[in-house]
Amino acid sequence: MSGIALTLRALHDGERALEKDLLATAERHRGDHEVHHVAGDLARWSREHSTRLAELGRHHDVDLDGPADDPSPGALAGLREKAAEALGRRPEAGLLLLYDLRDLHLAAARNSLYWEMLAQTAQATHDERLLALVTDCHPQTLRQMRWTNTLIKELSPQLLTSA
């Protein structure tokens, strides 16, 4: 399998995982309307990215259409959700949100690096399809990162000093 194919697969899997994590965060913090709604909107971007990557994968002889990973958010996410329910509006709930935002930011940053690698490759190989996809999708991934970064900057001072 070529380096492009491996990177397409890694990014596809990363976008699927980010979508799942954004949806889990939206649900876990549904009491915070901004987080709930914006995370849901950003998850739709990742879903669109993974769909478009699967379409492009066929051009590169890579099958990315397989069944989605297990939609459950995993044991750690389940534990966080139960803890969030038990804590309600207590300060600890804010720390859970802060840690969720950190994880989302790191996942989006990983995807952004894959987009950048594919952009450079598309330019070097004159792959117009790949370049068009990167040009459309990478800015949205950067916006996902900016949103998480902004909330982390806003929430950190109060949450970390009051814990």
Side-chain angles (χ1 to χ4, degrees), residues 97-138:
L97 174 57
L98 194 60
Y99 294 140
D100 282 344
L101 291 168
R102 175 207 56 200
D103 292 343
L104 292 172
H105 186 81
L106 291 172
R110 183 179 315 108
N111 289 348
S112 178
L113 290 171
Y114 286 130
W115 283 119
E116 191 60 47
M117 291 175 358
L118 290 171
Q120 296 303 312
T121 302
Q123 289 174 352
T125 61
H126 306 289
D127 186 335
E128 296 301 323
R129 289 180 192 175
L130 180 56
L131 187 57
L133 178 64
V134 171
T135 301
D136 288 347
C137 296
H138 191 209

Side-chain angles (χ1 to χ4, degrees), residues 10-68:
L11 179 55
H12 182 261
D13 292 348
E15 288 288 1
R16 282 176 142 176
L18 183 55
E19 175 194 3
K20 183 177 76 169
D21 292 346
L22 282 160
L23 291 173
T25 297
E27 189 57 30
R28 196 167 24 258
H29 302 285
R30 60 187 165 272
D32 184 324
H33 296 290
E34 177 188 356
V35 171
H36 179 73
H37 292 290
V38 174
D41 290 343
L42 297 179
R44 282 188 283 283
W45 285 355
S46 285
R47 183 180 320 118
E48 177 189 333
H49 296 173
S50 63
T51 299
R52 293 184 66 188
L53 283 161
E55 292 167 3
L56 181 76
R58 286 189 281 283
H59 175 70
H60 288 273
D61 297 322
V62 182
D63 181 16
L64 300 174
D65 289 328

